[in-house]
């Protein structure tokens, strides 16, 4: 024990004063002649020992009073709890949860104020590392308390939920970079329900194996902490508990825009789409008369009033259309004052397209109707065009032209209307049928054209593309084609596992962002296609015959394939009527087989995914995605989860030779959904804060060469210019601010006029997930368990944390309990004297003089 | 010692006006106001009895003979004077003088309509009482219980002699010191006062033993007034009282105590020296023992009161802060009303419930 004011401890010697007084008064008394001595002696004989004991207690109390007073004024420190040498510098790792929920109420204010007070209490030699939970991958900067203070001032609390274990792991990792041997980790968070949830269980299982839980992960982190000597102390500063927040159990009252979706997901120019927003009332009181505004970009387009029941949701739908191609954002903003204002607005990015150009490479050409290999497919891809041609015999030429162009038709009564029905029925796809022999020359013309005049007037959806031969095809369908056209064989190892590197024309096409749809058939040379190597599965023997008496059935894809989930589940599948008489046996790669065996084919990390299979388990449709070279893209894929599907392989033909699939009602929606899925696979409607965005250049850059520049407009109003090359996409990582990011690509050697002809911007929206807006605290038992696993201590306010830090560094100051003890002693002295020694005085005085009077 | 030293003139006249009547029949030598055990001639008719030869003819009730034709003798109560012996304790414990004791002659402090006295306080009371008397207390006055007891004995003697009763005094400590046999001559008062003025040597006393020794000197069927503080062996005292009652003595026990002995009003460390034994002393913190001492005193007084009640002895506790003449007047009045048990103390001169001072002393013995 040490004293802060050691001199004051000498005052303890004052205890001799009451002792001396006691002894002095013990020897001083007056004498009195007394008659009733025998009564007095009886009393003394019985009570002598007790009276002496009372006297000694009184003397002890009186001696203790000056001793306690002196000790309290000397401010003693108990150093037995000291875990850090007081003068040793400490490395601090401040892990701050900057998720959106921290901006609810006064949590962020408390967090920053608490951290500032903690920084103020630090010693000069201490170093500080601040890790925001949204920037765990960023390099950790080590600085002084002043540096940390300035970083704290710049912090914004509008990110995704904190991944607790990843954040603590980052903090532990940062401890290894610390300069000082003594380290301390402070986790500042509101400890929401989703912080300690099991939401990332799949990733955990990948790392720690099957059955791993959050606690298992914490145990592992604890082991790593234990391997650091001396072991860093972990502290939790819980800013989620506050007297300002009325109901901790049910959470704060909040209204949020939960989601925005667009129906249909692929939006064409002038096509009416429905934007559906879900608003949630996360409170116990009804919300009524709330103004909700539909936004396109930052412009308010329409406003309506909505009412929501307690703990209920409400869906708002808005029908609109977009006249220009390019990227934009739509969303909904709710005007309501609640605990978390940031989630009252939610946006979603969308890409307004012109019709997609598709090449149908027909390996079995015929002039007869529905005899060509791709006739059924063409109808399925462009059903309205087919219908328009069919109906054209009954319509005027003017109307047909109007239909094709989507222009208004003025009726005889003077009402100017647009035939919306017709304009809504615009096909997504503009298909062009070519023969295999024409492919190379056409492709060469596309390449030679260098850049396409994609800024010209939008294509009319007429089912052919004769006037646009040089248009870059976004999808090429090979139907019963004998061998890959215009390709040279490549024996490189990469080709065997599906890579597009060095695989000739198709390889370059895929590298440019193109997609391939492969249909099998009798003309297909399996060896030739296998040797090319970009198909997701190897082609094997053809099984069955057209006279098969027991045709094969197709297993409903259900929820396994997102694009086809609406085509039916186990009970009411549209595939039930499909009969397959022949099919090609295809072999998946090893990785794909493993994922297939584990039952996670739809989400596996392998090169291919089984989308459709027979009831006997034979894969019938397999998809594979491109593998991008370059670390940044790999990282982007890893963080964003983008899987850009490049090739979809059917083990069936697209005519009726091997099955009745093209004749069944399921064929059209199946093909439509598949194409939509293929085209939208490179889109990121919304990304989470801190997640990298992948932006692909539009078609005119895919075929050109030379450098180009990305112009990025950020939500904070700043603009960035990024130079890229001709063959790769842009991976943009600075996405910590919520809002719409606008990407415009320009070739560096373009003139201003050519730049203006671009297809417009691509837009990505950064949004925080809706679960972050559910302001409920984590279960206390779970939180306690986490504390226990990490050996952490939790504090409700910064003062308690600072006190604990001081205790650990300098010991416990115990003057306060001593002062309390002193007060207790003073009270005890009075009470002992009044009631302990003469406890019957009141009764006696009542009996004596008062009775006598 | 003279009576004038003890009381003022108006106190004396108050005493003169009091009458102390024996509760039972007594045997006297001359006619008086007290009921005699014998039948004799007086105005108080008692009964008729049949005539027997030898009876005096003048006692025949001729009116009854005329009505009934039978001879009846008329008998009357005989009244005689009282023979009283006052036993005064002069042991060492009677020498205690508290600060609240009043001079014997101070009777100016009169009770208010509620019976409370107007002068209050302990230390000042003595002074104010002395001032109220408009005369300083005699030089020999110390305020001891013994002085109070002597005053009480003197006043009683004067009262009885004034009523033509015989009165004697016996003083004692460890043994009987002075004995003045009962006489009814007015000059006998000086003899009594003289014997009371003889200073005692103090010492320890056994009250019961002294009472038993005094039995042989007591007149038959008389009144015995015991004036003592009662600090001693209570069992022995009880036995002696029983013996006295067996001798058909009418006994009054006037227990004289100082107020200090009842409420023990001390605060400091005090060395208590025994008045009855030179060697015994005790240094105590008065506050610590006060409650237990008072409890012991209450038990002691309760035991005395119980013994008196068993023996049908009038018992009255008198404290020295009480004006003596007032106390005597109250006592006489109480006795005329019936058996006495209780206490008179301090400024109030109230017969407080015996529990307050003596614990169980309550009720009336008859």
């Amino acid at each position: 024990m040490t004293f802060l004011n050691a001199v004051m401890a000498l005052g303890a010697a004052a205890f001799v004063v009451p002792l001396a007084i006691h002894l002095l008064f013990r020897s001083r008394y007056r004498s009195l002649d007394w008659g009733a001595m025998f009564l007095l002696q009886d009393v003394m004989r019985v009570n002598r020992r007790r009276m002496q004991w009372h006297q000694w207690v009184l003397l002890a109390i009186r001696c203790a009073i000056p001793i306690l007073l002196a000790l309290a004024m000397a401010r003693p420190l108990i150093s037995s709890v000291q875990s850090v040498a007081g003068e040793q510098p400490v490395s601090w790792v401040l892990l701050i949860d900057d998720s959106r929920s921290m901006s609810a109420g006064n949590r962020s204010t408390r967090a920053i104020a608490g951290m500032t007070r903690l920084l103020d209490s630090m010693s000069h030699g201490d170093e500080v590392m601040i890790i925001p939970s949204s920037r765990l991958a960023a390099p950790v900067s080590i600085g002084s308390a002043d540096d940390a203070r300035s970083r704290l001032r710049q912090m914004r609390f509008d990110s995704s939920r904190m991944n607790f274990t990843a954040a603590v792991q980052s903090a532990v990792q940062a401890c290894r970079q610390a300069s000082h041997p003594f380290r301390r980790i402070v986790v500042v968070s509101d400890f929401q329900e989703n912080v300690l949830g099991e939401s990332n269980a799949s990733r955990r299982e990948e790392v720690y194996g099957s059955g791993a839980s959050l606690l298992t992960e914490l145990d592992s982190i604890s082991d790593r902490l234990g391997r650091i000597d001396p072991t860093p102390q972990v502290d939790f500063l819980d800013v989620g508990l506050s007297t300002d927040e009325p109901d901790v159990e049910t959470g704060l009252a909040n209204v949020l825009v939960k989601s925005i979706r667009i129906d249909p997901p692929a939006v064409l120019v002038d096509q009416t789409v429905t934007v559906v927003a879900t608003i949630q009332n996360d409170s116990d009181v009804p919300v009524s008369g709330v103004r909700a505004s539909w936004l396109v970009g930052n412009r308010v387009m329409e406003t309506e009033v909505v009412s929501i029941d307690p703990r209920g949701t409400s869906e708002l739908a808005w029908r609109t259309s977009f006249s220009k191609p390019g990227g934009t954002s739509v969303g909904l903003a709710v005007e309501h004052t609640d605990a978390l204002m940031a989630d009252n607005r939610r946006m979603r990015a969308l890409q307004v397209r012109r019709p997609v150009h598709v090449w149908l490479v027909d390996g079995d050409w015929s002039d007869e109707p529905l005899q060509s290999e791709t006739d059924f497919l063409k109808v399925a891809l462009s059903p309205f065009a087919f219908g328009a041609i069919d109906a054209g015999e009954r319509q005027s030429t003017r109307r047909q032209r109007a239909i094709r162009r989507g222009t208004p038709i003025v009726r005889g009564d003077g009402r100017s209307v647009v035939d919306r029905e017709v304009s809504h029925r615009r096909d997504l796809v503009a298909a062009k049928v070519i023969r295999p022999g024409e492919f190379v020359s056409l492709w060469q013309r596309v390449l030679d054209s260098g850049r396409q005049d994609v800024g010209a007037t939008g294509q009319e959806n007429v089912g052919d593309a004769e006037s646009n031969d040089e248009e870059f095809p976004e999808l090429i369908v090979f139907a019963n084609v004998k061998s890959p056209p215009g390709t040279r064989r490549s024996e490189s190892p990469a080709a065997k596992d599906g890579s597009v590197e060095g695989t000739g024309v198709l390889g370059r096409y895929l590298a440019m962002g193109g997609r391939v749809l492969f249909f099998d058939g009798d003309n297909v040379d399996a060896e030739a296609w296998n040797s090319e190597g970009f198909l997701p599965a190897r082609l094997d023997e053809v099984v069955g015959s057209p006279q098969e008496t027991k045709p094969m059935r197709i297993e409903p894809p259900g929820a396994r394939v997102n694009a086809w989930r609406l085509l039916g589940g186990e009970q009411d599948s549209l595939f039930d009527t499909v009969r397959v008489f022949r099919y090609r046996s295809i072999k998946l790669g090893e990785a794909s087989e493993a994922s297939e065996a584990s039952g996670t084919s739809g989400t596996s990390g392998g090169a291919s995914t089984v989308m459709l299979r027979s009831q006997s388990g034979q894969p019938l449709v397999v998809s594979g995605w491109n593998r991008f070279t370059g670390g940044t893209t790999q990282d982007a894929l890893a963080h964003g989860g983008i899987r850009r599907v490049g090739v979809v392989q059917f083990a069936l033909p697209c005519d009726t030779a091997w099955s009745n699939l093209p004749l069944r009602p399921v064929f059209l929606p199946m093909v439509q959904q598949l194409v939509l899925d293929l085209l939208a696979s490179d889109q990121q409607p919304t990304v989470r804060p801190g997640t990298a965005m992948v932006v692909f250049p539009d078609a005119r850059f895919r075929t050109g060469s030379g450098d180009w520049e990305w112009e990025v407009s950020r939500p904070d109003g700043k603009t960035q210019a990024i130079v890229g090359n001709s063959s790769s996409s842009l991976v943009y990582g600075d996405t910590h601010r919520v809002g719409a990011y606008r990407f415009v690509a320009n070739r560096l050697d373009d003139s201003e006029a050519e730049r203006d002809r671009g297809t417009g911007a691509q837009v990505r929206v950064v949004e925080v997930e809706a679960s972050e807006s559910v302001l409920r605290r984590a279960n206390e038992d779970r939180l306690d368990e986490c504390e226990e696993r990490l050996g952490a201590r939790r504090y409700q306010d910064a003062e308690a944390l600072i006190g604990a830090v001081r205790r650990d560094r300098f010991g416990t100051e115990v003057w306060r309990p001593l002062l309390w003890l002193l007060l207790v002693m003073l009270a005890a002295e009075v009470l002992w004297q009044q009631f302990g020694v003469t406890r019957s005085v009141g009764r006696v005085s009542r009996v004596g003089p008062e009775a006598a009077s | 010692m003279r009576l004038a030293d003890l009381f003022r003139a108006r106190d004396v006249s108050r005493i003169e006006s009091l009458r102390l009547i024996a509760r039972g029949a007594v045997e006297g030598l001359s006619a008086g106001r007290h009921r005699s055990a014998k039948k004799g001639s007086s105005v108080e008719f008692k009964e008729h009895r049949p005539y027997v030869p030898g009876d005096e003819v003048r006692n025949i009730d001729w009116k009854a003979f005329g009505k009934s034709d039978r001879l009846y003798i008329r008998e009357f109560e005989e009244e005689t004077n009282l023979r009283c012996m006052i036993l005064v304790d002069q042991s060492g414990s009677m020498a205690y003088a508290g600060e609240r004791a009043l001079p014997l002659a101070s009777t100016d402090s009169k009770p208010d309509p509620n019976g409370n006295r107007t002068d209050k306080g302990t230390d000042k009371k003595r002074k104010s009482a002395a001032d109220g008397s408009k005369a300083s207390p005699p030089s020999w006055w110390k305020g001891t219980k013994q002085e109070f007891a002597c005053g009480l004995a003197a006043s009683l003697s004067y009262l009885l002699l004034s009523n033509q009763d015989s009165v004697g005094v016996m003083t004692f400590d460890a043994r009987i010191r002075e004995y003045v046999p009962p006489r009814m001559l007015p000059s006998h008062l000086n003899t009594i006062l003289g014997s009371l003025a003889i200073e005692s040597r103090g010492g320890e006393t056994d009250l019961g033993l002294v009472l038993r020794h005094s039995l042989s000197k007591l007149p038959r069927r008389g009144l015995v007034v015991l004036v003592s503080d009662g600090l001693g062996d209570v069992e022995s005292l009880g036995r002696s009282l029983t013996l006295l009652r067996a001798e058909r003595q009418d006994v009054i026990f006037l227990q004289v105590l100082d107020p200090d002995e009842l409420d023990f009003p001390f605060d400091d460390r005090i060395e208590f020296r025994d008045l009855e034994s030179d060697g015994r002393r005790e240094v105590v913190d008065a506050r610590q023992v006060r409650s237990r001492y008072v409890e012991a005193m209450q038990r002691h007084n309760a035991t005395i009161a119980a013994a008196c009640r068993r023996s049908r002895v009038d018992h009255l506790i008198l404290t020295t802060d009480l004006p003596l003449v007032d106390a005597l007047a109250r006592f006489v009045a109480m006795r005329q009303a019936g058996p006495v048990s209780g206490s008179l103390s301090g400024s109030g001169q109230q017969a407080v419930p015996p529990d307050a001072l003596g614990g169980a002393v309550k009720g009336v013995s008859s």
Side-chain angles (χ1 to χ4, degrees), chain A residues 849, chain B residues 99-101 120-127 260 263:
Chain B
E99 292 187 344
R100 284 178 283 178
K120 293 186 177 176
T122 54
D123 295 338
K124 291 180 180 177
K125 191 181 291 179
R126 187 170 171 178
K127 186 172 181 293
D260 293 351
D263 55 26

Side-chain angles (χ1 to χ4, degrees), chain A residues 122-188:
Chain A
M122 288 179 186
S123 303
H124 287 297
D126 291 356
E127 64 181 16
V128 184
M129 290 171 266
I130 289 188
I131 304 178
S133 65
S134 63
R135 296 172 190 253
L136 299 180
V140 178
S141 62
I142 303 175
S144 65
D146 289 336
D147 300 334
R149 217 173 273 121
S150 63
R151 284 198 65 189
L152 272 181
R153 282 194 290 269
Q154 296 167 2
M155 282 202 72
R156 300 181 73 255
F157 294 87
D158 202 14
S159 297
S160 294
R161 73 171 191 90
M162 178 171 76
N163 186 337
F164 183 70
T165 51
V168 176
Q169 270 181 343
S170 298
V172 174
Q173 193 62 32
C175 281
R176 297 184 183 279
Q177 302 174 25
S179 313
H180 305 313
F182 293 104
R183 306 156 181 111
R184 196 161 188 134
I185 298 172
V186 180
V187 183
V188 186

